């Protein structure tokens, strides 16, 4: 039997970003013994990259805001494909989750009357994003990290901080979830990145909070950690993924120099007055307001400019359309030959705001461009273009408890969970999503574990041996003829996903991508790594590659099936949004053969009081005629 | 645009190691981390390095480049001459694990010793009111990305392992200053800063400020004001008198 370090917990959380840490806090506060496991050092999770803010309808800047308005904006942004129950819970609970952060020590920017300041963002009707300059994600992660320490100090009861009941296992990668004979979660198996030694966590509940899948694409704002681990772990454990075809390409990533291509340029630049121009100097977004949003956005530059100071009497500029619309518009301008020298468009804040104001509101953007591109954004425009940023699809979950489909004891929260954002996520709704559903997952897992009454599912030695063998396969392949280099395979995967399943999609290209994926999957069987198990990035990549391949196949298969264009899924061959397809969720599962199966599952109809929040005019843009006929008539 | 650079990268582990020589391609606009990644992908698949965001926001890729503590992702290759040898070594103040990866657990231990934010008892969530000008002081310190370059460069611990027990380092003294300047924190921080976390070891040479990639004025805005607060209290005659004639603990 494999010699393996073992730990016993009530709840284990995989991932230490916003969702994972908030889940761990909730589970610990519910009395659970909790382990948090993360691939990086504690406090380095991808959440630090979030810049703009946390969306919550506190109404501090405009008192007209409330959860109903936030809910409406979220559904519109997601083109009505959102799990409406998740969108409802999210809109209702976000303010409480933000205020709570202040009791953990967070220091948000303030309004003149000392409340939390809120800024404008794409798709949000009112200023809604609580923020700290343009480094809100860092504030969120540090605050939650410090709250974890605070709970450990409480557990130390006046003595030194104690990690007996809440412990972070950093630089540790989980490779498999384990289940008992009854199909319930029994634990998780992984390795220490530092030593390469194996480690087993026995626990009846696992919360996936692993983030996204961006590293399957070449141009991405995501870090190396974003290899779809949670998505793939859920699939292999027998759970399902929902609507994986929806991938958000953020409209503004850096395009130059090549080494930083894809790094995010925050939407706050536009929220604070920045505008997009093509090579003719024209603000082209006025030409790209789609019919579903017509009437909600300014039609002239003058009106758009007045909106910043008088939002009650003017409509917002189209630069603040939801991200999918802006990304497609930039793509079209570049294709039409009106792009910037390095293949993007210009994002101009220099001519619109004083240098002093830019430095105060966008300090980290100024820093990033100065240091990485030698561009001073207070005097020159930035060059920007779309970058793979976020996956709306994810583990199919119960909205209230975050329990994953089909696998008792498995939970998911944050980017790895699907449904909340529909076909397109609004900026600012991610950080609030992490907090709202991170907490719900922690509570949900604690309730599940309490109901077991101390009887925990078993892990067998054979399961451990099998997981160890699978993890060591890349070493066994070393020295064998026809062995493959994991870095090379990864680059090929990124290139084909970028080119063939990217921002604009066509059936024949996606079929080609699926062929390539099949080929890469076969070659991945022969991936070999050199050196030994101690901190070996080649080996780590070889294992992550399996996850990226499984998740990429889900994206490509679902994208080929959905014959419409909606949010983060644009079909060149089916350019229209279809009200029939709005009633359909695409559900991916893994077959015993290892291939991905996709089935259509009908969407549950929205509750009457929620659908009553929309005007019939607007609903008619999204709903089928049959659905419209069944709407309760509005009283005059 | 492209050229071949001479890199020297430290390879080894806790047992020991040496600088390895590499000839490696460099393209326009690249940073040192790009070159390390190229080495991984083409010449040294098992070269160990920490990194995450590659945009100077996470503080993972700390190392010493030509002897200076820096983030590899924020060090542009254009700052070196094409014929200049670029030497990359792990942070010296922490034990090596492998290659460029060091054991930074010292920092996490210190982080756990600093008492957490103490929320005001009379305020509910949502009731906090603070002026922007008052939060800005602590906000500057909360820009910290915990790259630990300040800890690495601080001479109190850089070559004095024995001081680590009694000295929290610039990062965590700044954390204490941050909490002390938080408008609503309900705990006294000043005594502990001096007695438990070793503020007195700092002799304000500003090395920490110099290497901070976030350009936080650690010494001027956190450590010196903290020293002044401690001194004000310690040597304030009224406070001294109060401590002598005030209520004494019961025997």
């Amino acid at each position: 039997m494999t010699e393996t370090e073992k730990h016993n917990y009530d709840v284990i959380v995989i991932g230490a970003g916003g969702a994972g840490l908030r889940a761990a806090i909730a589970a610990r506060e519910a009395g659970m013994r909790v382990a948090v496991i993360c691939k990086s050092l504690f406090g380095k999770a991808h959440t630090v990259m979030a810049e703009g803010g946390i969306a919550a309808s506190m109404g501090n800047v405009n008192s007209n805001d409330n959860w109903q308005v936030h809910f409406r904006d979220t559904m519109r942004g997601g083109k009505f494909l959102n799990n409406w129950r998740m969108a409802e819970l999210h809109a209702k609970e976000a303010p409480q989750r933000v205020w709570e952060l202040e009791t953990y020590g967070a220091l948000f920017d303030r309004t003149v009357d000392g409340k939390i300041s809120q800024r404008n963002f794409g798709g949000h009707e009112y200023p809604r994003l609580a923020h700290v300059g343009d480094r809100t994600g860092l504030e969120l992660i540090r605050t939650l990290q410090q709250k974890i320490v605070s709970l450990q100090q409480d557990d130390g009861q006046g003595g030194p901080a104690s990690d007996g009941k809440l412990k972070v296992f950093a630089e540790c990668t989980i490779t498999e979830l384990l289940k008992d004979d009854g199909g319930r979660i029994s634990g998780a198996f992984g390795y220490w990145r530092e030593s390469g030694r194996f480690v087993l966590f026995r626990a009846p509940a696992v919360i996936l909070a692993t983030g996204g899948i961006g590293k399957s694409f070449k141009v991405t704002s995501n870090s190396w950690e974003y290899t779809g681990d949670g998505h793939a772990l859920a699939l292999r454990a027998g759970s399902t993924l929902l609507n994986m075809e929806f991938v958000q390409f953020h409209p503004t990533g850096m395009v130059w120099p090549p080494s930083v291509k894809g790094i995010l340029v925050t939407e706050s630049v536009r929220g604070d007055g920045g505008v997009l121009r093509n090579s003719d100097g024209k603000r082209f977004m006025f030409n790209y307001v789609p019919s579903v949003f017509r009437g909600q956005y300014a039609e002239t530059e003058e009106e758009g400019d007045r909106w910043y100071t008088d939002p009650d009497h003017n409509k917002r500029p189209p630069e603040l359309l939801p991200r999918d619309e802006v990304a497609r518009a930039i793509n079209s301008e570049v294709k039409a030959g009106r792009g910037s020298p390095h293949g993007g468009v210009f994002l101009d804040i220099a001519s619109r705001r004083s240098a002093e104001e830019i430095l105060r509101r966008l300090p980290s953007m100024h820093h990033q461009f100065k240091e990485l591109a030698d561009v001073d954004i207070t005097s020159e425009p930035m060059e920007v273009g779309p970058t793979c940023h976020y996956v709306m699809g994810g583990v199919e979950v119960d909205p209230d408890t975050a329990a994953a489909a089909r696998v008792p004891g498995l939970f998911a929260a944050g980017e790895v969970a699907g449904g909340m954002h529909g076909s397109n996520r609004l900026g600012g709704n991610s950080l609030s999503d992490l907090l709202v559903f991170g907490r719900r997952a922690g509570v949900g897992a604690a309730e599940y574990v309490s109901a077991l009454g101390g009887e925990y599912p078993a892990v067998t030695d054979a399961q451990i041996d099998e997981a160890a063998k699978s993890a060591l396969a890349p070493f066994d392949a070393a020295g064998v003829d026809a062995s493959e280099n994991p870095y090379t395979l990864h680059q090929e995967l990124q290139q084909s996903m970028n080119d063939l399943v990217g921002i604009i999609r066509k059936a024949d290209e996606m079929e080609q991508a699926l062929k390539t994926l099949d080929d890469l999957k076969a070659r991945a069987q022969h991936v070999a790594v050199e050196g030994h198990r101690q901190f070996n990035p080649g080996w780590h990549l070889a294992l992550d590659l399996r996850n990226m391949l499984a998740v990429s196949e889900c994206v490509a298969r679902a994208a080929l099936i959905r014959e419409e264009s909606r949010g983060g899924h644009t079909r060149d061959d089916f350019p229209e949004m279809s009200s029939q397809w709005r009633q359909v969720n695409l559900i991916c599962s893994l077959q015993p053969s290892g291939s991905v199966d996709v089935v259509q599952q009908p969407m549950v109809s929205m509750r009457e009081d929620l659908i009553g929040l929309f005007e019939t005019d607007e609903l008619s843009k999204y709903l089928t005629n049959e659905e419209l006929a069944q709407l309760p008539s509005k009283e005059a | 645009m492209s050229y071949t650079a001479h890199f020297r990268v430290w390879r080894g582990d806790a047992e020991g190691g040496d600088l390895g020589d590499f000839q490696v391609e460099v393209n326009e606009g690249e940073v040192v981390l790009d070159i390390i990644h190229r080495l991984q992908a083409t010449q040294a698949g098992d070269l160990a390095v920490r990194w995450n965001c590659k945009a100077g926001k996470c503080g993972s890729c700390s190392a010493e480049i030509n002897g200076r503590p820096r983030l590899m992702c924020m060090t542009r290759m254009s700052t070196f001459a094409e014929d200049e040898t670029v030497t990359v070594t792990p942070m010296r103040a922490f034990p090596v694990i492998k290659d460029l990866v060091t054991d930074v657990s010292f920092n996490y231990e210190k982080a756990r010793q600093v008492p957490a934010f103490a929320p005001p008892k009379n305020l509910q969530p949502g009731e906090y009111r603070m002026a922007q000008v008052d939060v800005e002081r602590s906000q500057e310190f909360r820009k910290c990305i915990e790259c630990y370059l300040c800890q690495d460069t601080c001479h109190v611990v850089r070559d004095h392992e024995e001081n680590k027990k009694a000295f929290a380092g610039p990062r965590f003294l700044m954390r204490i200053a941050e909490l002390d300047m938080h408008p609503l924190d309900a705990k006294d921080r000043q005594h502990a800063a001096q007695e438990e976390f070793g503020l007195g070891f700092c002799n304000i040479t500003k090395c920490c400020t110099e290497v901070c990639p976030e350009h936080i004025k650690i010494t001027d805005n956190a450590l010196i004001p903290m020293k002044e607060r401690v001194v004000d209290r310690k040597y304030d005659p009224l406070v001294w008198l109060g401590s002598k004639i005030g209520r004494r603990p019961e025997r």
Side-chain angles (χ1 to χ4, degrees):
Chain A
M1 198 201 92
T2 317
E3 194 58 44
T4 305
E5 175 186 341
K6 295 187 179 72
H7 300 276
N8 294 309
Y9 281 93
D10 298 323
V11 175
I12 66 173
V13 181
I14 308 176
L21 296 184
R22 190 62 190 82
I25 291 166
R28 177 71 204 101
E29 286 180 339
M32 298 289 115
R33 285 187 71 243
V34 183
V36 179
I37 304 159
C38 52
K39 292 208 285 188
S40 285
L41 290 173
F42 186 30
K44 305 299 181 195
H46 204 56
T47 306
V48 303
M49 295 294 285
E51 293 160 352
I54 313 176
S57 59
M58 297 181 285
N60 292 350
V61 172
N62 189 323
S63 58
N64 293 323
D65 204 8
N66 56 42
W67 77 261
Q68 288 94 337
V69 185
H70 191 183
F71 170 78
R72 272 204 304 260
D73 288 345
T74 301
M75 294 299 296
R76 282 175 188 146
K79 300 263 166 60
F80 276 69
L81 200 78
N82 316 56
N83 179 314
W84 49 264
R85 174 63 177 162
M86 290 176 90
E88 177 196 9
L89 290 169
H90 168 260
K92 280 182 173 167
E93 294 177 3
Q96 204 56 41
R97 296 286 81 76
V98 173
W99 285 322
E100 193 171 69
L101 292 179
E102 288 200 302
T103 70
Y104 301 171
L107 281 173
F108 291 102
D109 289 347
R110 319 305 296 182
T111 62
V112 282
D113 52 354
K115 295 179 183 171
I116 296 173
S117 172
Q118 298 187 267
R119 69 156 41 118
N120 283 306
F121 233 61
H124 293 281
E125 189 167 341
Y126 298 115
R128 189 176 284 146
L129 270 65
H131 57 95
V132 186
D134 53 4
R135 56 159 190 89
T136 314
L138 174 65
E139 184 69 12
L140 181 68
I141 208 82
R142 202 65 81 228
T143 300
L144 294 174
Q145 185 184 350
Q146 287 162 352
K147 176 64 178 176
I148 297 271
V149 165
S150 168
L151 291 172
Q152 291 172 333
Q153 289 172 349
D154 292 347
D155 284 336
Q157 297 179 335
S162 157
D163 61 9
K165 292 174 179 169
L166 173 56
K167 188 174 166 101
V168 179
F169 294 81
E171 300 197 306
C172 183
T173 303
I174 295 300
T175 58
E176 294 299 341
L177 299 179
L178 306 175
K179 297 193 296 180
D180 73 351
D181 293 341
R184 301 178 302 169
I185 286 291
S186 57
F189 178 89
Y191 63 90
W192 289 103
R193 297 172 61 79
E194 186 180 303
S195 62
R197 287 200 320 272
F198 291 129
V199 54
L200 172 75
F201 296 90
R202 275 196 53 194
V206 168
I207 300 173
L208 298 172
T210 52
I213 65 162
K215 269 296 160 189
S216 299
F217 291 80
K218 188 177 173 198
V219 179
T220 176
S221 63
N222 294 172
S223 84
W224 67 267
E225 292 196 282
Y226 266 36
T227 50
D229 295 4
H231 291 82
L233 288 170
L235 269 184
R236 288 204 293 272
S239 191
T240 49
L241 305 185
L242 165 134
N243 294 343
M244 288 301 289
E245 64 276 29
F246 295 106
V247 177
Q248 181 171 78
F249 290 82
H250 193 290
T252 59
M254 293 176 80
V255 296
W256 194 92
S259 71
V260 299
K261 190 164 181 167
I263 291 180
L264 196 64
V265 179
T266 176
E267 192 166 326
S268 319
V269 176
R270 284 170 285 138
D272 289 346
V275 296
L276 294 163
R277 297 184 201 278
N278 60 21
S279 55
D280 302 333
K282 188 175 153 42
R283 279 177 70 178
F284 57 84
M285 279 310 298
F286 287 93
N287 300 339
Y288 290 95
V289 182
S291 61
V292 287
F293 290 116
R294 209 152 285 154
Q296 295 171 31
Y297 286 81
E299 280 162 36
T300 65
E301 295 189 18
E302 293 70 32
E303 180 179 13
D305 287 349
R306 284 196 303 269
W307 171 84
Y308 291 101
T309 47
D310 182 12
D312 291 342
H313 302 97
N314 294 285
K315 283 175 288 194
R316 58 184 39 230
E319 277 88 359
L320 290 175
L321 275 160
R323 289 175 174 173
D324 53 331
E325 308 291 353
V326 183
R328 273 193 297 273
I330 293 175
N331 202 63
S332 303
E333 286 295 307
V334 174
K335 270 198 171 159
R338 295 187 292 268
S340 67
H342 299 101
V345 295
F346 295 105
L347 173 59
D348 169 28
I349 184 125
S351 75
R352 311 254 312 159
R353 296 288 180 262
S354 70
E356 191 188 14
E357 194 178 348
I358 295 169
L359 284 174
R360 183 167 56 79
R361 297 191 65 107
L362 302 163
S364 82
M365 278 305 104
H366 179 261
H367 183 71
Q368 178 176 318
F369 272 87
K370 194 83 204 123
E371 305 264 335
L372 294 175
D374 211 11
V375 166
D376 178 0
I377 68 167
T378 64
S379 60
E380 317 163 64
M382 296 159 251
E383 275 188 71
V384 296
T387 176
C388 177
H389 184 54
Y390 190 87
V391 60
M392 273 67 72
V395 180
E396 189 184 6
V397 291
D398 174 70
D400 289 75
T401 63
R406 300 186 196 178
V407 182
L410 186 61
F411 297 79
E415 189 172 350
V416 69
M420 159 69 205
H421 305 287
S423 68
N424 173 55
R425 175 175 69 77
L426 292 184
N429 271 1
S430 181
L431 293 184
S432 41
D433 170 9
L434 305 183
L435 295 169
V436 168
F437 294 103
R439 179 190 148 275
R440 282 190 166 268
V443 172
E447 281 171 358
Y448 170 83
V449 171
S450 302
L452 294 177
E455 185 255 324
Y456 288 181
V459 174
T460 66
D461 290 348
Q463 283 179 306
I464 301 172
D465 286 344
E466 198 183 316
K469 190 169 161 234
S470 156
L472 290 175
F475 287 108
D476 300 337
V480 176
D481 282 351
S483 64
E484 298 277 353
N485 177 334
Y487 296 98
T488 310
L489 286 189
H490 185 210
Q491 279 164 12
E492 288 181 31
L493 170 69
Q494 289 181 313
Q495 193 73 52
S496 35
M497 287 305 284
N498 224 74
D499 294 348
L500 306 174
V501 200
I503 181 163
I504 309 287
R505 298 163 176 175
K506 292 181 189 134
D508 56 334
E509 290 184 349
M510 287 185 285
E511 277 157 7
Q512 197 190 327
L514 284 166
K515 282 205 193 85
T516 310
L517 284 169
D518 260 354
D519 174 49
L520 288 171
K521 248 165 56 177
R523 288 167 61 196
Q525 302 286 324
H526 309 290
V527 159
V529 295
E530 53 184 297
H532 50 80
R533 279 160 68 179
Q534 193 189 19
F535 217 113
N536 187 334
W539 179 41
H540 303 164
L541 179 61
L543 296 177
D544 292 347
L545 195 57
R546 299 186 309 182
N547 299 340
M548 286 187 270
L549 286 166
V551 170
S552 298
E553 188 180 343
C554 291
V555 175
R557 283 201 191 283
L560 182 59
I561 291 172
R562 186 176 287 274
E563 296 185 330
E564 65 158 348
S565 292
R566 178 188 300 274
H569 171 64
T570 304
R571 289 284 298 258
D572 209 35
D573 42 0
F574 296 93
E576 299 300 317
M577 189 159 75
S578 142
S579 48
Q580 305 293 334
W581 272 109
R582 204 214 82 258
Q583 297 177 294
V584 177
N585 287 321
L586 291 179
I587 307 293
C588 301
S589 61
L590 202 62
Q591 299 304 99
S593 66
S595 69
V596 172
D597 184 47
V598 187
V599 295
Q600 301 189 12
Q601 179 173 295
M603 166 87 88
V604 181
S605 301
M606 200 189 295
R607 221 173 54 223
E608 239 174 56
D609 60 310
L610 295 177
I611 212 154
L613 295 171
F614 297 91
E615 299 294 331
T616 313
D617 262 7
E618 182 171 17
L619 292 174
S620 67
K621 296 169 182 170
Y622 298 102
L623 272 50
T624 61
N625 290 334
E626 299 79 63
E627 288 176 300
L628 288 168
Q630 284 170 14
L631 287 182
S633 58
K634 285 210 173 176
E635 291 176 26
Chain B
M1 303 288 242
S2 296
Y3 69 98
T4 301
H6 179 209
F7 260 66
R8 306 192 80 195
V9 182
W10 197 87
R11 307 242 22 213
D13 53 28
E15 309 290 303
D18 210 346
L19 288 169
D21 285 90
F22 298 94
Q23 298 296 322
V24 54
E25 180 190 323
V26 176
N27 302 310
E28 189 184 2
E30 287 184 330
V31 293
V32 169
L33 185 58
D34 290 313
I35 310 308
I36 297 294
H37 281 159
R38 183 162 299 126
L39 289 176
Q40 270 186 343
T42 58
Q43 301 183 40
D46 60 345
L47 171 61
V49 58
R50 279 198 186 99
W51 70 286
N52 275 52
C53 76
K54 207 171 169 292
K57 292 186 191 339
C58 76
S60 300
C61 63
S62 305
E64 299 190 4
I65 301 170
N66 291 349
R68 187 184 167 86
R70 306 187 67 129
L71 294 179
M72 286 185 268
C73 74
M74 297 303 273
T75 307
R76 302 180 70 192
M77 285 304 295
S78 59
T79 57
F80 306 107
E82 291 191 5
D83 58 359
E84 193 176 345
T85 298
V86 180
T87 305
V88 188
T89 50
M91 286 192 284
R92 194 168 91 196
F94 309 117
V96 166
I97 293 172
K98 187 182 167 210
D99 304 335
L100 300 176
V101 174
T102 55
D103 175 0
V104 292
S105 55
F106 163 72
N107 300 289
Y108 288 95
E109 281 158 29
K110 293 295 176 187
R112 274 151 42 101
Q113 290 165 12
V114 178
F117 171 69
K121 288 211 162 52
N122 54 342
L123 292 178
Q124 295 306 305
E127 292 179 353
Y128 287 30
R129 297 290 179 273
M130 294 176 265
Q132 181 62 34
V133 63
D134 292 330
V135 299
E136 258 163 23
R137 286 186 299 179
S138 296
Q139 277 183 334
E140 181 190 3
F141 311 143
R142 290 182 72 83
K143 275 163 50 184
C144 170
I145 58 174
E146 299 202 330
C147 62
Y148 308 127
L149 289 175
C150 60
Q151 307 282 83
D152 178 47
T153 202
C154 180
H155 59 269
V156 177
V157 286
R158 188 170 169 90
D159 290 311
H160 294 279
E161 193 64 29
E162 70 279 10
N163 285 342
K164 279 187 175 172
K165 202 168 180 326
F167 183 64
R171 194 280 169 261
F172 296 101
L173 291 168
M174 180 174 82
R175 164 74 171 145
I176 295 166
E178 171 213 316
L179 289 163
D180 201 49
M181 296 180 196
H182 189 301
L184 292 176
D185 179 58
K187 195 171 169 62
D188 176 19
R189 311 271 169 188
Q190 294 164 11
H191 180 76
Q194 188 76 6
E195 304 301 327
E196 292 172 39
F197 296 99
L199 181 61
F201 279 92
C202 165
N203 47 9
I204 55 173
T205 52
K206 302 197 185 185
C207 311
C208 51
T209 305
E210 259 176 50
V211 300
C212 177
E214 286 294 305
H215 307 303
I216 301 170
K217 295 200 166 56
I218 305 172
T219 319
D220 286 354
N221 292 350
L223 304 186
I224 292 177
M226 203 61 208
K227 279 173 176 279
E228 287 169 354
R229 286 170 179 226
V230 169
V231 167
D232 273 358
R233 195 156 71 185
K234 198 165 178 178
Y235 299 105
D236 182 330
L238 281 179
V239 172
W240 176 83
L241 193 64
S243 72
K244 294 293 169 196
I245 62 175
R247 242 171 39 150
R248 295 178 190 186
E250 287 172 34
R251 286 170 195 255

